Amino acid sequence: MAQQKYRFDIIAQGEVLEEYMLGREPVTMLMGPLGSGKTYGSCMRVFNQMCEQAPNATGIRKSRWIAVRNTYPDLKGTTIKDWQELYHNADVQLGKFNMDFPPTHSLNFDLPDGTTVQSELVFMALDRPDSVKKLRGIQTTGFWLNEVKELAKPIVDMCDGRHGRYPSAMDGGPSWHGMIGDYNAPDDDHWLYELAEKIKPEGWHFLRQPGGVIEHVRGEGKNRYSEWVPNPDAENLNNLPDGYYIRQVESKADDWIRVNLANQYGTVADGLPIYRGQWNDVLHVSKFNQLPLPKHGKLLMGFDFGRTPACILGQLTPNGQLRVIREFISENMGIRTFLDELIPILKKDYPNMPKACWEAYCDPSGLGKSDTDENSPIEILNTEYGILAYGTTSNKPENRWESVRYFLNNAERDDANFVLSPQCSVLRKGFNGGYQLRRIQVAGDARYTSIADKNKFSHPHDALQYLCQGAQGEVNYAATDEFYGGQPPTQTADSLAGY
Ligand SMILES: Nc1ncnc2c1ncn2[C@@H]1O[C@H](COP(=O)(O)OP(=O)(O)OP(=O)(O)O)[C@@H](O)[C@H]1O
Ligand SMILES: [Mg+2]
């Protein structure tokens, strides 16, 4: 074979990258910021392992790898391009590259020790759970999952069950088989977070690169803000333009920076976050969980009904600060079941706030009966559960958002006028972008729907809006009283105080 200019000697550009390339556990996963050398690291590891496969009786090192990406355009536009930059280009030719379906690089080259590497790298887009059909019948040594967080869990599970059958026993079997994967930080309710931080499956090794930037929280009270500084320990800096990370900080929102540059778990919105410009995670989230204080009087509740009932607890301090204490969120449950679970928790956790000081604010449409229930949701709260409950003055989205913004914006104080307990993690993620106007797919400018995307953030956020309306006195007492024939619902509640 003619002398070739192989780039075998490219070395890892950081300690974590090196650990990733040298790892030989059944599964190694690498989480890192943008541009940190993850993809190159994966390519180099695949290549090294192709060369490491023990030769068969005739001196041939056989293996087959599958490079997985979620979509074909991503595969073509980045994964294949990155691989080719290293192992199939004007300088390096190690075998035939076939761009037919599925694109395959058939490597066939000699090593200095006289053995021959014969390996296939097959590029596959597996974007839907049923795309695992494409894997049927394929015998593989290993998988490289590029941008793992874009893949559905069943796909990764399926891949995990399908390595190790190549090369065959006749060729000595695989010296190693397994999966490697690289990705940017996912959200902390992503399956990858669960696996990496909670389940930690046997044989899976999770690695985390240092961030490209580090966050410092500066200032006091209302003036608190995040300052981002370059991280001298970031990896792959030698191959990136000067100031690569810090320059990107300029134009980006903190939630984006945290995930993409600082390598922290978190949410990034692709729609338009509803409280963008008003919500400040550093300012509005308190350091400690808030507890309801009897001296502040009522314990306020915002309710969202429907099949995903949510309740948000809050309190208004005498100087007008709204403290959001706790979130209760459910799925596929009626309001009665929800209340049956909620009330005992409140009684147990907040014994100094008895039911007599609870007051609930709800969607005014909750006064209307449904076809299937003789009592409306507000009525159920009042008459069946003895919780003093009112509809608010309006359920128009703009009005509700305004009531939240009122607390977020209020400029007459030194500290925040709105304080969220850190245990309200779903509300917080919603504020940080999950609660959003959905992006409409049109060419050109970004356009958004005018109503909030219905998602797991929208139900607790709806409930929070009713809470904020109630806390400002935007409550339709008259309609509720009228509904009870001119009697305030308190009387009904009192009569059931022993519930
Ligand atoms: N070992 C290396 N030797 C030389 N250059 C490298 C090496 N590793 C990475 N690079 C350079 O750094 C760039 C970024 O690396 P890479 O694409 O692997 O990062 P990444 O973490 O996958 O980025 P992204 O988050 O954008 O997918 C590459 O395009 C390449 O130019
Ligand atoms: Mg990459």
Side-chain angles (χ1 to χ4, degrees), residues 149-450:
K149 84 165 174 181
E150 312 295 340
L151 299 173
K153 174 80 165 31
I155 286 177
V156 177
D157 290 342
M158 187 64 89
C159 292
D160 200 21
R162 267 157 203 265
H163 49 75
R165 287 188 287 165
Y166 193 87
S168 67
M170 244 174 58
D171 282 315
S175 315
W176 173 95
H177 62 93
M179 306 196 292
I180 65 167
D182 55 75
Y183 54 99
N184 284 128
D187 199 349
D188 63 13
D189 58 6
H190 194 281
W191 62 264
L192 255 175
Y193 173 89
E194 289 282 308
L195 281 191
E197 305 296 331
K198 294 191 176 155
I199 303 173
K200 305 181 182 178
E202 173 106 31
W204 287 57
H205 190 41
F206 288 93
L207 295 166
R208 185 168 178 174
Q209 290 180 284
V213 289
I214 302 174
E215 181 172 15
H216 292 297
V217 176
R218 306 268 189 233
E220 283 298 320
K222 200 164 190 164
N223 299 318
R224 283 165 79 202
Y225 64 99
S226 294
E227 184 188 11
W228 298 97
V229 298
N231 182 1
D233 297 327
E235 306 204 321
N236 199 36
L237 288 179
N238 286 340
N239 298 307
L240 297 172
D242 281 350
Y244 173 80
Y245 288 112
I246 204 70
R247 267 191 292 111
Q248 297 187 66
V249 161
E250 290 302 313
S251 53
K252 302 295 193 311
D254 286 334
D255 60 344
W256 189 93
I257 298 169
R258 257 174 225 122
V259 167
N260 291 295
L261 305 181
N263 201 23
Q264 306 288 330
Y265 292 107
T267 323
V268 183
D270 72 335
L272 185 66
I274 286 173
Y275 301 111
R276 170 164 290 170
Q278 292 104 40
W279 171 254
N280 177 339
D281 194 79
V282 175
L283 173 69
H284 289 125
V285 179
S286 67
K287 287 204 181 67
F288 311 104
N289 287 328
Q290 303 285 321
L291 284 174
L293 301 174
K295 69 172 180 196
H296 294 333
K298 292 178 194 164
L299 181 61
L300 311 182
M301 309 162 118
F303 270 95
D304 183 46
F305 302 124
R307 287 305 294 174
T308 48
C311 172
I312 306 298
L313 291 190
Q315 255 193 327
L316 203 55
T317 67
N319 62 359
Q321 182 184 56
L322 181 65
R323 297 186 173 176
V324 178
I325 295 167
R326 197 152 158 190
E327 59 187 17
F328 295 91
I329 301 165
S330 66
E331 251 172 64
N332 201 18
M333 171 182 283
I335 185 66
R336 291 187 180 88
T337 318
F338 181 67
L339 291 169
D340 287 340
E341 289 180 9
L342 174 71
I343 293 173
I345 298 174
L346 299 184
K347 287 188 165 176
K348 178 171 157 283
D349 290 355
Y350 311 121
N352 56 3
M353 299 297 294
K355 216 174 186 185
C357 52
W358 301 358
E359 191 161 311
Y361 309 114
C362 318
D363 182 349
S365 68
L367 273 172
K369 291 188 198 308
S370 81
D371 295 342
T372 52
D373 201 317
E374 58 179 26
N375 282 332
S376 71
I378 292 185
E379 223 176 335
I380 292 172
L381 257 70
N382 276 315
T383 58
E384 295 180 30
Y385 288 85
I387 299 173
L388 186 55
Y390 296 102
T392 63
T393 47
S394 162
N395 58 5
K396 284 213 181 84
E398 301 76 36
N399 296 1
R400 297 197 263 131
W401 296 333
E402 247 353 271
S403 67
V404 179
R405 290 188 181 121
Y406 167 84
F407 286 105
L408 294 178
N409 283 342
N410 198 312
E412 282 131 43
R413 308 166 50 89
D414 286 339
D415 57 343
N417 210 23
F418 181 96
V419 175
L420 185 73
S421 279
Q423 79 188 123
C424 299
S425 60
V426 182
L427 280 177
R428 182 176 180 178
K429 275 193 218 167
F431 273 124
N432 278 320
Y435 181 55
Q436 53 171 274
L437 303 181
R438 199 172 56 249
R439 198 183 175 115
I440 305 172
Q441 296 305 334
V442 284
D445 288 349
R447 290 231 234 114
Y448 303 95
T449 51
S450 59

Side-chain angles (χ1 to χ4, degrees), residues 15-256:
E15 273 177 32
V16 181
L17 274 171
E18 182 165 14
E19 213 183 324
Y20 178 59
M21 283 170 59
L22 297 178
R24 293 294 179 266
E25 297 83 4
V27 183
T28 323
M29 293 281 159
L30 176 68
M31 175 169 116
L34 292 182
S36 62
K38 300 180 297 296
T39 300
Y40 263 45
S42 295
C43 293
M44 295 190 299
R45 174 156 170 194
V46 170
F47 185 81
N48 289 348
Q49 290 206 245
M50 288 173 169
C51 300
E52 263 176 41
Q53 164 66 35
N56 65 11
T58 56
I60 301 189
R61 300 173 185 267
K62 283 192 174 183
S63 61
R64 182 180 294 118
W65 282 75
I66 301 196
V68 179
R69 188 72 192 251
N70 56 330
T71 68
Y72 191 65
D74 285 330
L75 200 57
K76 236 174 115 181
T78 57
T79 316
I80 292 179
K81 251 177 61 208
D82 289 337
W83 173 263
Q84 290 184 334
E85 263 171 35
L86 284 167
Y87 301 114
H88 190 76
N89 51 58
D91 294 333
V92 188
Q93 292 286 324
L94 300 170
K96 208 164 151 277
F97 204 112
N98 183 350
M99 278 305 282
D100 289 350
F101 211 79
T104 304
H105 191 188
S106 307
L107 298 97
N108 187 347
F109 58 95
D110 298 337
L111 290 181
D113 68 359
T115 59
T116 300
V117 175
Q118 276 184 12
S119 188
E120 256 182 7
L121 179 61
V122 183
F123 293 86
M124 282 193 162
L126 302 177
D127 55 348
R128 295 206 320 262
D130 68 351
S131 54
V132 293
K133 283 188 206 135
K134 294 185 195 166
L135 291 175
R136 264 191 208 134
I138 286 189
Q139 316 278 336
T140 61
T141 313
F143 285 90
W144 161 29
L145 312 175
N146 188 213
E147 302 291 352
V148 194
K149 84 165 174 181
E150 312 295 340
L151 299 173
K153 174 80 165 31
I155 286 177
V156 177
D157 290 342
M158 187 64 89
C159 292
D160 200 21
R162 267 157 203 265
H163 49 75
R165 287 188 287 165
Y166 193 87
S168 67
M170 244 174 58
D171 282 315
S175 315
W176 173 95
H177 62 93
M179 306 196 292
I180 65 167
D182 55 75
Y183 54 99
N184 284 128
D187 199 349
D188 63 13
D189 58 6
H190 194 281
W191 62 264
L192 255 175
Y193 173 89
E194 289 282 308
L195 281 191
E197 305 296 331
K198 294 191 176 155
I199 303 173
K200 305 181 182 178
E202 173 106 31
W204 287 57
H205 190 41
F206 288 93
L207 295 166
R208 185 168 178 174
Q209 290 180 284
V213 289
I214 302 174
E215 181 172 15
H216 292 297
V217 176
R218 306 268 189 233
E220 283 298 320
K222 200 164 190 164
N223 299 318
R224 283 165 79 202
Y225 64 99
S226 294
E227 184 188 11
W228 298 97
V229 298
N231 182 1
D233 297 327
E235 306 204 321
N236 199 36
L237 288 179
N238 286 340
N239 298 307
L240 297 172
D242 281 350
Y244 173 80
Y245 288 112
I246 204 70
R247 267 191 292 111
Q248 297 187 66
V249 161
E250 290 302 313
S251 53
K252 302 295 193 311
D254 286 334
D255 60 344
W256 189 93

